[in-house]
Each structure stands twice: as C-alpha cells, then as structure tokens.
Amino acid sequence: MIHVNILMVDDHPIIIEGYQNVLMATKEDNQTLHIDTANNCDTAQLMIDRASKGIHYDVCFFDISLPPSSDGKYASGEDLALFAKKVLPNTKIVILTMFNESFRIHNIIKEINPDGFLIKSDLTSMELADAFQQILFYPPYYSSTVNNYVKKTIRSEIYVDDVNRKILHLLAQGIKTKNLNEYISLSTSALEKRKKQLKLLFSITDGKDETLLKEAREKGYL
C-alpha cells in the first residue's frame, strides 16, 4: 500500500473540499491519502515546519493568493512554496492558481520550478486526477495555459531578460515610462535605453509603446 501525505493550501474552503473529493474518488486502489489543509500563510507555515521535523509531505498544493502571515514573512503561496522547497526538499510542489498572465507564469517557473503548475480555469476533475498521479511519479505536469506559454517561449528567438519582462508587464498595466523607476531600481535613462532595445528586438518601426506591447503579446511575453 502506498501512503501519500498531502498538504493543500487555499483560502477558499469549498475549493479545498472539491480538490479533496476529486483526489479521494480517483486515487489508485493501492493508495491511501492523508490530506492536511490550511487557509492562510500562518497555518501553512506551521504545518510545513512541523513536517520538516517529522513525517514529511509527499505533495504540497499552493494557491498563490493567500492572507499573509502575521509577521509579514510570507505574503503568498509563492513564498510558502519556496519555504517548502527549502525545508522539504523531497516534497513535490504544485502551484494551483487563477493567475494566467505570462509574466506570472514565467516568474513562478523561474523562481519555484514546481513539479506541477495548474491554472484553475484549465482544470476539470479528470485533469486534476491525472495531474496528481503524474506529479507523484513522473513530474512535471503543466496544464494547457502553462504548456502553451512554455512552447511559445521556447519557439521565440528573441531573448528578453527579467528586467525587460518587467518593463513590458508594467507598460501593459498602463504605467508611464517616467514612473517605471518606482517599480524597478534603475534610472529613467537606463529604463529608456532598455525600452529602445526592446523596440529594436521586436522590430518596432513606428516607435509606439502600443505596437511594442502588441508584438510582445503575440510572441507570448505578455
């Protein structure tokens, strides 16, 4: 019999209940599942800490949007996932989120490199069940939105580093160039230079930010 210890972290109890029901109903005959749940960063941090000193979790599911910890150390599921990777190195880390922007997907893959990355709007009960089994034995498993992003990024011949990605992301949110240095610790002139380089990279001939953003979207950077 294979015993699987699971931690599910989401601030919506009904969503956790749904995940639990799916996994319990679709587990293999030779599997027994023990599922702990947490609705905020404080509870999750305590459970991860406890697991690091005792019976570890085989799989941890993290939603990204969570109430922050009372000490401010953990502000999201991303922070918890990084903590879990550090203290539970053999645990499979799964991100489950509503966020589907390319910028967030890129950051999560780069910073966390999760064993599973599931966009909630992609999921059916059957896909969650299949994803869970693959993550257990043959990770990683990415849902369709994440897969499409990864394919686009690999196909693209344009190299855009993290600072440039952030510039594109902020411009797409309507942030003016003169205000970019409130979000990125570079001078206005350095940011202007990067923006010009991006326009060269994306072959923008009319010089417009709107055209740059349109090209960036088409190439999967936004």
Side-chain angles (χ1 to χ4, degrees):
M1 189 64 74
I2 301 169
H3 188 77
V4 186
N5 288 316
I6 300 166
L7 174 63
M8 288 189 167
V9 186
D10 195 296
D11 60 342
H12 294 94
I14 195 163
I15 289 179
I16 284 187
E17 191 178 320
Y19 296 157
Q20 285 179 294
N21 290 342
V22 169
L23 296 189
M24 294 302 283
T26 59
K27 67 183 177 62
E28 300 291 334
D29 291 339
N30 66 340
Q31 292 174 339
T32 60
L33 309 185
H34 175 81
I35 302 174
D36 288 337
T37 66
N39 302 123
N40 55 60
C41 287
D42 279 328
T43 307
Q45 186 262 323
L46 286 171
M47 288 177 158
I48 294 165
D49 210 29
R50 185 183 66 194
S52 71
K53 299 176 177 70
I55 299 170
H56 80 286
Y57 290 114
D58 298 291
V59 186
C60 289
F61 290 86
F62 296 105
D63 185 22
I64 293 298
S65 296
L66 294 167
S69 59
S70 50
D71 62 4
K73 190 174 179 183
Y74 303 99
S76 68
E78 287 169 275
D79 293 341
L80 288 173
L82 289 170
F83 173 58
K85 278 181 78 83
K86 182 179 173 185
V87 301
L88 301 172
N90 298 318
T91 297
K92 306 287 197 314
I93 303 296
V94 183
I95 300 297
L96 264 158
T97 181
M98 287 298 294
F99 291 121
N100 60 6
E101 304 99 330
S102 296
F103 179 78
R104 295 300 294 270
I105 290 172
H106 169 79
N107 272 9
I108 288 166
I109 291 173
K110 185 173 183 294
E111 296 297 322
I112 300 168
N113 190 23
D115 300 284
F117 193 170
L118 311 172
I119 306 298
K120 290 180 181 179
S121 57
D122 289 343
L123 280 189
T124 61
S125 297
M126 209 60 243
E127 182 168 6
L128 177 59
D130 291 343
F132 176 65
Q133 295 300 328
Q134 184 172 323
I135 289 159
L136 270 183
F137 301 109
Y138 308 107
Y141 183 96
Y142 295 163
S143 69
S144 57
T145 299
V146 182
N147 255 331
N148 290 338
Y149 165 76
V150 171
K151 284 175 188 169
K152 277 185 186 174
T153 306
I154 290 168
R155 278 200 304 263
S156 175
E157 294 174 2
I158 296 173
Y159 174 71
V160 181
D161 68 15
D162 286 345
V163 174
N164 285 349
R165 282 177 185 276
K166 195 162 188 181
I167 289 170
L168 289 169
H169 181 66
L170 291 166
L171 290 172
Q173 288 183 319
I175 307 298
K176 302 292 184 193
T177 304
K178 64 181 181 182
N179 298 324
L180 288 174
N181 58 9
E182 295 172 22
Y183 303 87
I184 302 170
S185 54
L186 290 173
S187 68
T188 301
S189 60
L191 289 164
E192 282 280 7
K193 186 178 177 183
R194 278 180 170 267
K195 202 167 83 168
K196 284 176 186 170
Q197 288 170 341
L198 280 168
K199 287 175 179 175
L200 284 171
L201 278 171
F202 285 100
S203 303
I204 306 304
T205 54
D206 65 8
K208 292 180 181 176
D209 287 0
E210 293 85 351
T211 314
L212 171 63
L213 296 174
K214 181 174 177 286
E215 282 293 315
R217 279 193 190 90
E218 286 178 2
K219 289 185 165 58
Y221 288 95
L222 286 171

